Amino acid sequence: MLKKRLLIVEDERIIAEDIKRTLLHYDYEVVDIISHGEKVIEQFDQLNPDLVLMDIMLAGKLNGIQTAQKIKAKHNVPIIYLTAYANEPILNSAKVTEPFGYLIKPFEEHELHATIEMAFYRYKLENELKQSEEKYRLLFNSIADPVFILSENADKFIDCNDIVLKKYKFSKQELLSLPPYKLFLEDELQKLIDYLNAGGITESPVFSNFTKDGDKLYVELHKNSITFNDEQVFLIIARDITQRKQAEDEKQIVQHQLYQSQKMEVVGKLAGGIAHDFNNLLTAINGYSDLALKKLDNNSDAYSDIEVIKDCGDRAARLTKQLLGFSRKQVAEKSIIDLKEAIHDLEKMLVRLLGDEIILKTNFQCQSCMIFADKSQIEQVIVNLIVNARDAIKGHGRITISTSEKKPAPDVLKRNKMDESRTYVMISVKDDGCGMTEELQEKIFEPFFTTKEIGKGTGLGLSTVFGIVKQNNGVIRVASEVGKGSEFKIFFPLEKNYAKKQKTAEKTVTKIEIKGNETILLVDDEESIRDYLSEILEELGYEVIIALDGIDGLSQFKKKQEKIHLLISDVTMPKLSGPDLLEKLKQIQPQIKALFISGNIDSKLIKNYESNPNINFLRKPFSYESISSKVREILNKK
């Protein structure tokens, strides 16, 4: 067993030798006897003693206490003071160096031995405790989650690990002086108190925490009551779930969008179906109204009555157009259009629409406002938004339409899968009306949702806008605050490389002869449509072969020995659709011409036949003039 090495620092040589003799008797090793503090400092590293016996009064500039302070600054070694003085000032000075013993001269040999052994025992315990604390601190700081130690009544922080300081951006001193509630939302404090006071195993609640910089963290708390430094405390693990929460929120948004998309798709199909059937009825109503008006005297009472019927039919036709716009099944006739021109052309009509109490302002901030869209649909969007803004204003107010080059927010681009490299044109319609709550803003684009009184709104205005914007590759956003008005923003891709329009002289419109003597196969499963069309066509001199559906149409075609010049057919029919009938007829007569009539023409169908000049389309409801001129136009084509 190695002997314990002791250094004697004593300026009285006789006393020093006597102490050395005692130490050797108790089997200690004396590494040296030094009388000056300066020499102790100089030789300490070389001597490397296990314990120092230090006289307080030494020869030289440094006394024993000063020498001990310098040793303690660099070395962890126990020091025992030896002195003939025990007054209060000396004792207080000695305490600063945390000595392991204090012996008053003269002392007995056994006192010296006992003091030395107790010093070594204490030194051993302190080292073991220090190592234990270092292991605890290493383990404490190696935990990846923030860990807090809170007082039993949760009014102060007692300790925390390093990850807390990193995540919350406080220094340790700042955090330990901070009341714990400062990290939490005020609305969540009662929830925190209830959680800490709850006994037994509880669920781990989620709280909002804030860093020194004000950044928000979502944390899941896990608590445990432990004894720390002889007092009951809370050990709190605050697991950072900010990324998980953001992902869950994003997932919820996507799920909500998917739900809305599916709902809109279902209602869109319903709207398209309703529009199809409704347009069939309107074709007969408006068509027979046209025929009746042609047969009546302009001054008769019946003429006025039928004009009212015709006007109502036209209004109903506009409503079905809205339904088709909402369902995105209205065929878009897209071209490069100038938004500034489109808005300018509507301005006079919009001013009349608003009346005298509401001021309309325009503000065009972009040099080029060219987009690829259906002009009539864009006009419908603008009118619907202006009407919506007008209805939100009670009394006097202001509506501003503006255009600018502005890219949507990054989350909007990402969510709508828009090209981030493109430049976008933004149309803004802003009003100073009553505004909307957040709850209303979530519902305004839903079909048939309206805040207007019964009979004053269809609930299709904004849902139609939504459908048209989507159909024209745009996106619409709304910002509103109750009492401060609303702003609708629509973003369309800017068309930079467009062919500049050249002004051309207006062509003189010549009257087209609409009568003829060709043979026409008329196929429609609606009796009223067949009767109306056959009456018009026969009046114009055509020979009309009527078929009840696609199968009947094929049969009639095969029976007819002479050439059939034109097929007029509904698109959607039971048994055999119009396009399928045409394909079968082309096998018999390849160059047959066709006119498809429908209240719900799919853009895909038009695309399939757009390269064939013999195939044409006409949307229901159509007028006497439009069907008669269209038939003649097709038959005149070579």
Side-chain angles (χ1 to χ4, degrees), residues 24 99 101 136 146 179 199 262 266 395 434 523 552 576 578 602 605 624 637:
L24 294 174
Y136 149 75
Q262 290 172 336
V266 170
C434 59
V523 186
D552 188 29
L576 189 67
D602 196 320
L605 178 63
Y624 179 98
K637 287 181 182 178

Side-chain angles (χ1 to χ4, degrees), residues 199 295 375 423:
K295 297 173 182 176
K375 185 177 180 181
T423 303

Side-chain angles (χ1 to χ4, degrees), residues 205-224:
V206 174
F207 290 89
S208 300
N209 276 188
F210 293 92
T211 67
K212 182 180 178 180
D213 297 340
D215 296 331
K216 192 174 185 179
L217 300 176
Y218 290 101
V219 295
E220 185 180 80
L221 294 193
H222 303 265
K223 67 168 184 176
N224 197 7

Side-chain angles (χ1 to χ4, degrees), residues 143 145-148 220-224 235-239:
I143 299 173
D145 293 317
V147 181
F148 301 89
E220 185 180 80
L221 294 193
H222 303 265
K223 67 168 184 176
N224 197 7
L235 177 73
I236 304 292
I237 298 175
R239 179 156 296 155

Side-chain angles (χ1 to χ4, degrees), residues 190-245:
Q190 189 57 50
K191 176 183 171 184
L192 175 65
I193 293 168
D194 293 342
Y195 170 64
L196 294 176
N197 290 336
I201 299 174
T202 59
E203 291 184 1
S204 301
V206 174
F207 290 89
S208 300
N209 276 188
F210 293 92
T211 67
K212 182 180 178 180
D213 297 340
D215 296 331
K216 192 174 185 179
L217 300 176
Y218 290 101
V219 295
E220 185 180 80
L221 294 193
H222 303 265
K223 67 168 184 176
N224 197 7
S225 182
I226 64 170
T227 301
F228 182 79
N229 291 342
D230 298 326
E231 64 175 308
Q232 284 298 116
V233 296
F234 286 112
L235 177 73
I236 304 292
I237 298 175
R239 179 156 296 155
D240 184 0
I241 60 166
T242 304
Q243 290 185 346
R244 189 180 87 191
K245 185 77 166 54

